[in-house]
Amino acid sequence: MTFRLKFVTLVLGTLIIGGCGVDKAQFHEEEVDHAAMDHDMMENEHMSHDEVQALNNSTGENALIIPMMLKANQEENVTYTVRAQQGSTEIFDGIQTNTYGYNGSMLGPMLRLEKGETVKIKTINELEEDTTFHWHGLEVAGEADGGPHSVLAPGEEKILEFEVTQEAATLWFHPHPIGKTAEQVYYGLAGLIYIEDDNSKNLGLPSDYGKNDFPLIFQDRTFDDKKQLNYQAVMNSDGTIGDTLLINGTVNPKLAVKQEKVRLRLLNGSNARNYTFKLNSGDSFVQVATDGGFLNKPVMLNEVTLTPSERAEIIVDFSQINAKDLALTNEEGAILLPFEVLDGEGTTDEAQEKMNDFAVTAEEKALPVTKKIELFGMMEHVTINGKKFDPNRIDFTQQQGMTEVWEIYNKPDMMGGMIHPFHIHGTQFKILSRNGQEPPENEQGWKDSFAIAPDETVKIAVQFKHKGVYMFHCHILEHEENGMMGQVQVE
Ligand code: C2O
Ligand code: CU
Ligand code: CU
C-alpha cells in the first residue's frame, strides 16, 4: 500500500518536474533549489526512509563487551587523559578490522564524573587527521565543548578544565570536526560519561557497573567482504545505516543477567538509524532517566524509541520475566541483544518512587517563542531556516542564564519528509510541548536531543549556564555534515 502510494507520487512528480536539467553547481549556499531536491528524491526513491535496511539478528555468540571505567590519572595533574587513536580490533573471530577509538582501538572508556567536582581532562589527538573532543550533553563553557571550532591537529593536545554542575546523567563524547564527524564516529570514536550525585547514589537503583548496571551503545555498521568498515563506500548522504548491529562494539552480543532488576543505559550512537526497543516477550520495563537526568518517577513502558544521540535508562526486572529466549528487539523484531538469565536471584534494593523534582514552571509555560527553527530537506539539501552551516555566521544570540523558548518545526517535503533528531550543545533543556500537547511522560525530564516528526512543532525551554558558541543541529551525522547545523552565541 505504502509502496503504491509512493509510486503514484513518483510518477506524478516526474511528470511535473519533467526532465529538469538542474545544474547542482549553481547552488547558492543560502538558497535551496527545491526542484533539484525533488529531482534527487525521485532518483533516490529506493532510499525512502520508511524502507530502512533491516538489521540482522544477533546470534548471541559473543559476550557483551563492557567499556572499561577510566581510572583517574595519577601521574599528571589531570583527572583523565583521553587519546583519540587508530588501531585495529578483532570484532569478528580471527579478523582484524581497522577502527578508531579513545584510549584503545575502538569506542572509548567510561568517564565517571561527580557533580560538584572540578575535572581536568587532557585530550590528545593521535590520529593522522584533525579531530575534536565534544562532550555531548555536558553543560560547560563553549571553549570546553569541543565543537567544530576546537580542532586539534594530529599530535596536538589540550587540557580542559570545568566544574561538573549538572545532575546525575548518562552522557557521551564523540568527535565533531567539520566534514569528518560522521566518518570518525563510524570508525569507532565514541565514549561514555556518567555523572553521579548524592541523589543517584541514594535511589536504590542497580548501580554496580558491568554487573547490574550496563551501558548499551547501539551502532549499526556495514562490513565489507574482508570485514572492514569502508565509510566512503557505504556513505549515504541521508544517513548512513548498516545491516550489522554492534553493541559496545560487540557483534552478535549476548548479555548474561541474574534474576534481579537490571539497569540498561541505552545510547543510540548510530549515525542515522532509529530504534524502538522492546522485549520480545512483550513484558514491560520502566524508564528512569532521560538524556540529562532522572525522571520524577519511573515510567512504565512496553517500548522506547531513541533517535541518534538520545539516551534512556531503563530497569528490566529479570526476576519477574519467565520467557524463554528473552531478547531486546527493535520495532521489526530483529534480535538486538539476547539475554541469558542465570539461575539464582540477585539482590534488589527497593527503589525510591520519587527520583527527581523536574518541573516546567508557570513562568516557562508563559514565555513567548523567541527563537524559531525550521528544519527542512533531505540528503545534500538539508537546511535550518533555509540556510546551511557557516562556521563564520552566528545564527542566534542568547543571554547566559536566561530561559528562552525555542520553537522547532520540521517542514515536510513532497515525499512527506523524515524524522530529524534535533540537538543543542552545552545545555539540558525542557520539552514544553509537541504540537501544542504536553510531551509524553518519558520526555518530562532533561533532554539535549529529541526526535521531531515531519510537520511537527516542538517547543523547548532552553537555558545556557555558561558562555560561548554552541552548535545546534540534526544528529543524523550526514545531515549535520551537509549543513543542517547552526550556532548560538551565549553572552
Ligand atoms: Cu552529539 Cu553536536 O553532538
Ligand atoms: Cu552535542
Ligand atoms: Cu536530519
Side-chain angles (χ1 to χ4, degrees):
M1 189 59 188
T2 328
F3 178 76
R4 279 189 71 129
L5 277 176
K6 238 180 253 152
F7 181 71
V8 172
T9 325
L10 179 68
V11 172
L12 278 176
T14 313
L15 286 175
I16 295 164
I17 296 176
C20 63
V22 181
D23 183 2
K24 281 202 223 152
Q26 286 173 0
F27 270 139
H28 189 266
E29 277 227 326
E30 308 280 311
E31 284 163 27
V32 180
D33 189 321
H34 289 224
M37 186 165 103
D38 294 342
H39 179 83
D40 274 16
M41 286 192 298
M42 298 302 115
E43 289 186 336
N44 287 278
E45 213 274 337
H46 62 282
M47 287 186 198
S48 169
H49 275 270
D50 15 17
E51 286 152 40
V52 169
Q53 183 183 27
L55 276 176
N56 298 334
N57 290 322
S58 168
T59 60
E61 61 198 73
N62 298 311
L64 180 77
I65 296 167
I66 308 299
M68 69 141 182
M69 199 190 305
L70 190 59
K71 291 219 180 64
N73 191 324
Q74 305 295 351
E75 289 107 69
E76 293 171 82
N77 189 23
V78 295
T79 324
Y80 292 118
T81 301
V82 182
R83 302 160 191 274
Q85 302 177 313
Q86 57 196 68
S88 64
T89 308
E90 189 177 339
I91 300 171
F92 297 89
D93 268 350
I95 301 169
Q96 293 293 322
T97 301
N98 295 322
T99 51
Y100 283 2
Y102 294 112
N103 299 5
S105 66
M106 200 182 182
L107 293 177
M110 183 270 268
L111 274 58
R112 195 177 179 285
L113 311 180
E114 190 90 18
K115 183 179 177 183
E117 106 180 274
T118 296
V119 186
K120 255 191 186 181
I121 303 178
K122 183 189 227 175
T123 55
I124 308 176
N125 180 9
E126 294 181 357
L127 302 175
E128 280 161 16
E129 58 187 5
D130 290 355
T131 195
T132 82
F133 295 77
H134 169 56
W135 318 98
H136 180 122
L138 201 61
E139 297 182 310
V140 288
E143 299 154 7
D145 175 70
H149 299 293
S150 309
V151 169
L152 290 191
E156 274 193 315
E157 54 181 64
K158 181 181 170 184
I159 294 179
L160 40 120
E161 186 172 343
F162 56 86
E163 191 189 334
V164 181
T165 54
Q166 70 204 85
E167 61 189 59
T170 305
L171 314 179
W172 63 303
F173 60 102
H174 62 77
H176 224 300
I178 293 175
K180 282 283 185 182
T181 300
E183 184 169 356
Q184 291 185 358
V185 172
Y186 194 82
Y187 286 131
L189 285 181
L192 293 159
I193 302 171
Y194 284 12
I195 299 179
E196 301 292 348
D197 61 13
D198 289 344
N199 184 38
S200 69
K201 288 183 238 164
N202 288 313
L203 286 177
L205 292 173
S207 52
D208 201 352
Y209 184 71
K211 298 280 179 350
N212 60 14
D213 179 359
F214 301 97
L216 299 176
I217 308 170
F218 294 86
Q219 299 178 309
D220 58 325
R221 297 292 182 261
T222 303
F223 291 91
D224 67 14
D225 41 11
K226 297 206 171 69
K227 299 286 188 220
Q228 297 302 310
L229 296 167
N230 185 343
Y231 181 74
Q232 293 306 329
V234 298
M235 195 276 286
N236 180 333
S237 62
D238 221 5
T240 302
I241 58 160
D243 60 0
T244 306
L245 180 71
L246 302 179
I247 306 182
N248 302 345
T250 323
V251 71
N252 291 318
K254 158 185 88 192
L255 179 61
V257 293
K258 289 192 193 146
Q259 293 173 29
E260 62 182 350
K261 285 187 183 153
V262 168
R263 179 177 184 178
L264 302 175
R265 305 189 190 218
L266 314 175
L267 158 62
N268 183 345
S270 303
N271 284 39
R273 184 184 284 274
N274 303 327
Y275 302 83
T276 296
F277 299 103
K278 4 177 150 188
L279 293 167
N280 59 350
S281 58
D283 282 284
S284 54
F285 48 84
V286 294
Q287 183 175 345
V288 293
T290 52
D291 300 333
F294 290 106
L295 289 157
N296 286 351
K297 55 180 172 42
V299 174
M300 172 116 60
L301 298 169
N302 286 311
E303 57 180 51
V304 61
T305 299
L306 297 180
T307 58
S309 88
E310 285 187 289
R311 285 89 65 211
E313 293 183 29
I314 65 171
I315 308 287
V316 181
D317 190 348
F318 289 98
S319 69
Q320 298 301 314
I321 303 175
N322 293 314
K324 260 188 58 199
D325 301 322
L326 188 62
L328 191 68
T329 69
N330 71 351
E331 63 285 357
E332 291 175 319
I335 295 172
L336 311 182
L337 182 65
F339 295 109
E340 184 190 347
V341 185
L342 305 169
D343 288 338
E345 288 159 39
T347 46
T348 294
D349 290 349
E350 251 339 286
Q352 308 282 347
E353 255 302 292
K354 170 139 176 49
M355 302 187 296
N356 209 344
D357 51 8
F358 175 89
V360 176
T361 65
E363 289 91 324
E364 285 164 343
K365 282 187 188 139
L367 285 174
V369 171
T370 39
K371 292 191 172 25
K372 282 199 174 194
I373 292 195
E374 187 180 272
L375 307 173
F376 183 64
M378 61 188 292
M379 303 186 336
E380 290 85 8
H381 312 296
V382 287
T383 55
I384 294 182
N385 291 344
K387 296 177 198 151
K388 286 191 174 288
F389 178 64
D390 177 350
N392 299 311
R393 183 190 67 230
I394 296 294
D395 299 274
F396 293 127
T397 57
Q398 185 160 328
Q399 268 340 96
Q400 178 187 20
M402 286 275 288
T403 301
E404 285 197 39
V405 175
W406 295 31
E407 185 184 275
I408 298 94
Y409 175 58
N410 180 357
K411 185 177 161 189
D413 54 44
M414 63 173 292
M415 299 297 292
M418 58 186 285
I419 295 172
H420 299 283
F422 184 76
H423 167 54
I424 311 177
H425 285 205
T427 178
Q428 292 292 336
F429 51 75
K430 301 175 183 177
I431 299 184
L432 300 176
S433 65
R434 287 184 170 276
N435 281 338
Q437 307 290 308
E438 201 171 63
E441 260 190 300
N442 67 330
E443 287 190 330
Q444 298 181 26
W446 295 108
K447 293 285 289 168
D448 56 49
S449 305
F450 61 88
I452 180 163
D455 206 26
E456 190 176 18
T457 300
V458 179
K459 285 191 195 176
I460 57 176
V462 183
Q463 192 200 72
F464 294 91
K465 290 185 191 153
H466 304 275
K467 292 185 182 169
V469 174
Y470 299 99
M471 305 296 129
F472 53 88
H473 60 89
C474 175
H475 220 289
I476 292 176
L477 295 178
E478 288 75 15
H479 281 182
E480 179 211 313
E481 301 281 28
N482 293 339
M484 204 171 209
M485 176 155 74
Q487 311 190 82
V488 53
Q489 174 150 18
V490 180
E491 14 181 67

